[in-house]
Amino acid sequence: MIPVAVFAQNIGADKNWDDATSTVKLKKDTVTVLLTTGDNKLYKNDKAEEMDTTAVINDGRMFIPVRFAAEAFDYKVDFKNSTITLSSNGLNSAKDTLGLSLKLMPYMPKDQNYMISPISLKLALAMAANAADGETKKQMLDTLGISDLSTYNDYADKLIKNYAGSSDSDMTIDIANSIWLNEDKFKDYSGMAFADPFKNIVKTFFHG
């Protein structure tokens, strides 16, 4: 068990306490978690998850089950020598796209305002990288900062689902991806089409 204020501070989550229901609301990025004193259910984005213990009040402070709370925010918990270590295993899209953002900055206009979405570019190029091979694929992944494409595919799936949020979220973002075949360029190649394994990756992981 860990004081909820300490847990929230360590993962950078916003904390709101409802005295009437003895419920704490933790919010970070697109994840909202509700824990109520004496209840063995944790609600993550409105979906209930069973815990093997309950949140309790001790000396005026709320203590919560650290493993369940941490995993709800995609953190891994390591217990060693009476020390709790939290390591991020989650969906920090800002951190994930920082390297790509820095690479793009030199190419951005210097004399006008602009808006750019590195996460949109990364998702689109990562999706296309699944159809690449050899040196082309290597250069794409190096540029995107992706060491394992299969792992990133799983990450993309979770990211898109998390951004979709829930009815309890203050904000939701619907990410739309699609792949198009340039029929004008390849009109002389009869029967050209995307391979089924590639189409399945686009649909399953990128919701395309």
Side-chain angles (χ1 to χ4, degrees), residues 80-148:
K80 190 174 183 180
N81 298 327
S82 300
T83 299
I84 299 173
T85 302
L86 300 178
S87 57
S88 178
N89 189 38
L91 308 176
N92 188 336
S93 60
K95 180 179 179 182
D96 172 60
T97 56
L98 179 59
L100 180 60
S101 301
L102 294 175
K103 290 178 182 177
L104 292 171
M105 287 304 105
Y107 301 96
M108 296 300 102
K110 303 295 190 295
D111 57 350
Q112 65 187 49
N113 295 329
Y114 64 89
M115 179 181 290
I116 187 171
S117 173
I119 188 61
S120 295
L121 291 171
K122 187 160 187 174
L123 284 171
L125 291 173
M127 184 165 56
N130 280 278
D133 197 8
E135 185 62 22
T136 299
K137 183 175 183 178
K138 180 181 182 302
Q139 290 184 14
M140 292 179 75
L141 297 182
D142 287 347
T143 299
L144 296 173
I146 296 174
S147 58
D148 186 322

Side-chain angles (χ1 to χ4, degrees), residues 132-181:
D133 197 8
E135 185 62 22
T136 299
K137 183 175 183 178
K138 180 181 182 302
Q139 290 184 14
M140 292 179 75
L141 297 182
D142 287 347
T143 299
L144 296 173
I146 296 174
S147 58
D148 186 322
L149 187 54
S150 295
T151 299
Y152 190 84
N153 289 343
D154 289 328
Y155 168 88
D157 175 40
K158 293 177 182 177
L159 184 74
I160 292 169
K161 289 176 179 176
N162 276 14
Y163 269 132
S166 68
S167 59
D168 184 57
S169 298
D170 297 326
M171 177 184 71
T172 60
I173 300 174
D174 291 325
I175 296 177
N177 293 308
S178 59
I179 285 286
W180 297 78
L181 184 66

Side-chain angles (χ1 to χ4, degrees), residues 16-59:
N16 290 291
W17 170 256
D18 186 340
D19 197 45
T21 60
S22 296
T23 297
V24 68
K25 180 190 214 179
L26 300 171
K27 185 172 178 61
K28 181 180 180 183
D29 297 329
T30 59
V31 178
T32 300
V33 169
L34 297 177
L35 290 148
T36 301
T37 304
D39 189 349
N40 71 334
K41 287 187 176 63
L42 174 151
Y43 292 86
K44 176 181 178 179
N45 292 346
D46 289 337
K47 293 182 179 179
E49 299 180 11
E50 294 280 346
M51 303 186 296
D52 58 12
T53 186
T54 67
V56 297
I57 300 293
N58 189 6
D59 291 332

